[in-house]
């Protein structure tokens, strides 16, 4: 087959864009058409991220967005990088960073100083005599969002300083798959020449999907000189803007503000206004950050570090929640996965329910609206199936990737059912269940018809399209399901944890069928409930028979296409513990194994045992630690009555947070043991941070420790053997919502156990403590 890159590229000399004929950058466009994108690699830059709505910025702690960086720096909107470079220099030199923070998530602040240089008249501007402050804010707008930036330079020399201030802008308009290192063949779009006016620069790109992507950068002060630029070797267009500034001595200040507006098909091109020097008010921004929690449950304790740990997770959940027509959806993680994922969104929403039901309800509705309708092998779509990932970029539109949306996930469908029931438990809203019941029935039908295609009672996956994922559980890397000899399991593959999700889903749907009755479920709702419970029981017996390995004293990670056990010792059966499918007689041994030195590395539970032949502490899924994974296992321990054991994991993950900026748990970290030379958790180089289910991990750990079991339809909150970890003396929950009521609770640890006091209540709610 002929490589499309070998085909001659025909480029028009001008393209009609919104009524204006703009010249094409022929050289840059041709270069992009002839070469493959670069592969993202590990980078030495320390990333700093701000996000609000659909726009986010990944930069360095020095405030710059470094062009050519391979760690994903840039300004992003809807799966496209709209600026790949945003760098400033004074006197030809970059700033020296003194302090930098993005702890408030949607705005950042950098404090810096100058390096030394000599003025044309021979006077020396010494190092440390000029202060540079840089504030960056992401704001939501009706069209998506904008970035505002304020750069202020203060001169503490006894004389005025005249120097060039230069701002370099670059835009590569890469699809996020390209930024990540996608090496497929991309149809070439067309770069247009940047448009420069006295107070704005605009970079434009017409994609092969015929959509115009454009980045407008407006400035508060007209520049002295400006030059349109092109960097064919890195596939970037842009502009260099320069000011000849004169800053008075002894505290004189010069300020410039930027407004960066990414947009599609003309939206945002006219975004401007508010670029006066006072438009960014840091105090107002901090108050907005504090106010966004709204009616959410508030948490406090006697441990300031734990308060920070928990509030960081809550703030990151708010940051990652991206608006959709159905409400906020928890996008998976920055920078690589800032889009809707089925599995990630469902688990994150489950974790977040103690905060309030809004995220869960929106997640359920969004995924129901995108539920599979047809059999489409390219996208692994089937009727009733819940999506895996939805992308809005150029490659998805062109069909270069199947994510429009892509349905290659085996676990999102049962997890959707689990979340529907759990949301009802917290809210008691029968109307939500009635609204979504048709989708639940289609999901149940998918489980039986497509999920269990061979009729053996287990739900398994096999990739249908050649551009899809070979492995379709949460460990979806190519090597995540291996036999001990290193050979990859052949599809169809039935994963251990997925059988647990299906077991849990069917039990939960049986309860909802009885709730709704014949008027909603059709004739014989009780019979439907009985059938679902019978099938769940059969699945539990079959799982414990077929997945248990007597020779290992552990559950297999999967059954392969020949129904052979894949005897890898992994964290996956810990998810099965959470779902309740594990035989009660085997629970103590499974808990003990999960906390043994081969699985628990002192910080968390490894994805694969250190005793396994294929263990690698650097592997994405075969030996690293994922906080959400460890927390799900800990929740399973707590639910099974092993509270002290669950709190060991709780303490380890809390300790992990102390070694990362803002006490933010990363997506994952390396699996090296805590003892010996690894006194700190070893970061995984390209982990997302923040990441959604890592942000929800503190809430899930606390829910397990406190034993929160809502039954809103009964007007009851049950607390099953609440047990605070030894390092936490007291925890207070204020405004915890169960149904239409709220309750304030104080948990206090003492030598004799953990006590609970109800300190406030609104509405009808009974609190029951189960020892």
């Amino acid at each position: 087959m002929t490589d499309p890159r070998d085909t001659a590229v025909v480029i028009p000399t001008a393209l009609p864009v919104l009524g204006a004929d703009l010249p094409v950058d022929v050289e840059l466009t041709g270069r992009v058409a002839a070469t493959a994108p670069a592969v993202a690699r590990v980078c030495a830059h320390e990333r700093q991220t701000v996000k609000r709505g659909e726009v986010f910025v990944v930069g360095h702690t020095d405030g710059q967005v470094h062009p050519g960086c391979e760690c994903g720096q840039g300004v992003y909107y809807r799966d496209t990088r709209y600026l790949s470079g945003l760098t400033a220099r004074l006197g030809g030199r970059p700033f020296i960073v003194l302090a930098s923070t993005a702890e408030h998530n949607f705005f950042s602040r950098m404090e810096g100083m100058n390096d030394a240089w000599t003025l044309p008249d021979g006077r020396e501007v010494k190092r440390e005599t000029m202060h540079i402050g840089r504030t960056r804010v992401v704001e939501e707008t009706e069209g998506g969002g904008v970035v505002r930036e304020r750069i202020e330079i203060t001169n503490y020399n006894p004389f005025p300083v005249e120097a060039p201030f230069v701002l370099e802008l670059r835009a590569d308009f890469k699809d996020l798959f390209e930024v990540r290192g996608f090496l497929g063949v991309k149809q070439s779009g067309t770069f247009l020449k940047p448009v420069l006016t006295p107070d704005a620069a605009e970079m434009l790109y017409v994609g092969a999907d015929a959509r115009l992507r454009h980045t407008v950068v407006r400035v508060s002060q007209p520049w002295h000189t400006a030059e349109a630029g092109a960097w064919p070797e890195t596939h970037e267009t842009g502009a260099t803007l320069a000011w000849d500034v004169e800053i008075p001595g002894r505290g004189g200040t010069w300020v410039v503000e930027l407004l960066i507006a990414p947009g599609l098909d003309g939206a945002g091109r006219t975004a401007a206004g508010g670029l006066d020097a006072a438009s960014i008010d840091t105090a107002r921004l901090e108050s907005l950050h504090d106010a966004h929690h709204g009616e959410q449950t508030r948490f406090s304790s006697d441990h300031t570090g734990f308060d920070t740990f928990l509030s960081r997770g809550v703030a990151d959940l708010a940051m990652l929640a991206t608006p959709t027509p159905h409400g906020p959806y928890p996008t998976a993680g920055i920078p690589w996965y800032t889009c809707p994922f089925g599995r990630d969104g469902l688990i994150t929403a489950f974790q977040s329910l103690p905060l309030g039901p809004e995220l869960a309800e929106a997640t359920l509705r969004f995924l129901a609206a995108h539920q599979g309708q047809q059999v489409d092998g390219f996208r692994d779509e089937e009727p009733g199936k819940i999506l895996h990932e939805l992308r809005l970029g150029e490659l998805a539109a062109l069909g270069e990737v199947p994510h429009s949306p892509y349905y290659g996930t085996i676990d999102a469908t049962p997890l959707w059912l689990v979340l529907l029931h759990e949301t009802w438990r917290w809210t008691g809203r029968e109307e939500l269940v009635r609204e979504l019941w048709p989708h639940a029935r289609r999901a149940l039908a998918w489980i039986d018809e497509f999920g269990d295609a061979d009729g053996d009672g287990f739900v398994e996956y096999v990739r249908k399209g050649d551009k899809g994922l070979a492995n379709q559980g949460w460990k979806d890397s190519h090597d995540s399901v291996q036999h001990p000899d290193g050979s990859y399991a052949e599809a169809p593959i039935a994963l251990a944890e997925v059988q647990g999700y299906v077991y849990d889903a069917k039990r939960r749907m049986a309860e909802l069928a009885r709730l709704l009755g014949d008027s909603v479920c059709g004739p014989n709702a009780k019979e439907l409930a009985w059938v679902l419970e019978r099938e769940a029981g059969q699945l539990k017996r079959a799982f414990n028979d077929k997945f248990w390995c007597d020779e290992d004293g552990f559950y297999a990670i999967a059954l392969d296409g020949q129904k052979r056990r894949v005897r890898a010792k992994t964290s996956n059966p810990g998810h099965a513990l959470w779902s309740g499918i594990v035989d009660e007689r085997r629970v103590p041994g499974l808990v003990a194994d999960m906390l043994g030195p081969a699985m628990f590395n002192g910080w968390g539970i490894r994805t694969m045992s250190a005793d396994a032949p294929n263990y690698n502490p650097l592997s994405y899924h075969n030996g690293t630690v994922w906080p959400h994974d460890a927390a799900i296992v800990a929740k399973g321990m707590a639910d099974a009555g092993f509270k002290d054991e669950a709190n060991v994991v709780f303490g380890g993950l809390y300790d992990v947070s102390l070694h990362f900026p803002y006490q933010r748990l990363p997506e994952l970290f390396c699996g090296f043991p805590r003892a010996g030379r690894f006194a700190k958790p070893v970061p995984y180089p390209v982990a997302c941070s923040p990441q959604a289910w890592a942000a929800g991990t503190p809430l899930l750990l606390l829910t397990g420790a406190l034993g929160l079991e809502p039954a809103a339809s009964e007007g009851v909150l049950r607390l099953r053997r609440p047990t605070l970890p030894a390092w936490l003396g007291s925890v207070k929950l204020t405004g915890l919502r169960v149904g239409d009521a709220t309750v304030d609770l104080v948990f206090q640890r003492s030598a004799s156990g953990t006590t609970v006091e109800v300190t406030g209540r609104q509405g009808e709610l009974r609190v029951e403590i189960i020892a």
Side-chain angles (χ1 to χ4, degrees), residues 217-264:
V217 180
R218 298 187 180 275
V219 297
S220 60
Q221 295 201 34
W223 51 66
H224 182 267
T225 59
E227 180 180 356
W231 295 268
E233 69 282 358
T234 55
H235 306 170
E236 295 169 300
T237 185
T240 301
L241 316 179
W243 292 261
D244 289 330
V245 302
E246 181 174 349
I247 309 173
R250 304 189 187 282
T253 299
W254 181 82
V255 174
V256 64
E257 289 211 354
L258 319 176
L259 185 145
I260 303 164
L264 270 169

Side-chain angles (χ1 to χ4, degrees), residues 333-542:
I334 297 175
W336 314 118
Y337 305 115
T338 312
C339 66
F341 273 71
R343 172 196 313 116
D344 298 55
L346 289 161
I347 290 177
T348 302
F350 186 101
Q351 294 169 324
S352 75
L353 277 165
L355 288 175
E358 289 78 13
L359 200 63
E361 292 178 351
T363 298
L364 289 165
R365 289 188 170 108
F366 177 90
L367 293 174
H370 292 85
Q371 193 171 22
Q373 301 295 320
Q374 61 189 346
V375 175
D376 180 349
F378 176 68
R379 298 191 300 157
D380 275 325
E381 180 183 4
E382 291 154 347
K385 196 175 187 182
I386 297 299
L387 67 81
H388 171 61
E389 182 178 356
L390 173 62
R391 294 286 185 171
L392 300 174
E394 186 179 3
L395 290 179
L398 294 171
E400 294 288 345
V401 294
H403 298 68
S404 57
Y406 178 56
Y407 289 84
T409 172
I410 194 62
D411 49 16
T413 306
L415 285 171
W416 187 92
L417 296 169
V418 169
L419 180 64
L420 175 61
H421 178 270
E422 190 70 10
T423 304
W424 170 75
R425 289 181 67 196
W426 278 97
T427 65
R429 295 177 188 169
E430 187 176 328
E431 64 274 16
L432 176 71
V433 181
R434 289 176 177 271
E435 171 195 341
L436 296 175
W437 185 250
H439 299 279
R441 290 302 304 266
R442 288 198 286 273
L444 287 168
W446 175 85
I447 288 172
D448 292 338
E449 181 179 352
F450 294 97
D452 181 18
D454 62 4
D456 68 343
F458 297 124
V459 171
E460 55 260 318
Y461 62 85
V462 58
R463 176 176 62 181
K464 308 298 195 306
D466 59 2
K467 292 189 177 182
L469 292 168
N471 284 316
Q472 298 186 356
W474 86 259
K475 296 176 182 177
D476 56 8
S477 51
H478 73 283
D479 61 351
S480 63
V481 188
Q482 298 183 43
H483 289 284
D485 64 3
S487 63
Y488 296 165
E490 295 183 2
I493 295 171
L495 291 169
E497 75 275 15
V498 173
Q499 314 317 311
Y501 301 157
V502 172
Y503 166 78
D504 194 19
K506 288 195 172 184
R507 289 191 309 157
R508 289 172 181 263
M509 290 304 101
E511 183 175 6
L512 293 184
R514 289 194 178 93
L515 168 74
L516 297 177
D518 294 352
S519 62
V520 174
C521 301
N524 304 317
K526 290 183 179 179
E527 182 178 347
L528 172 62
W530 179 82
V531 168
L532 290 170
E533 288 176 335
R534 184 192 65 192
E535 291 173 347
Q538 291 171 340
L539 178 56
K540 182 172 184 175
R541 289 189 292 274

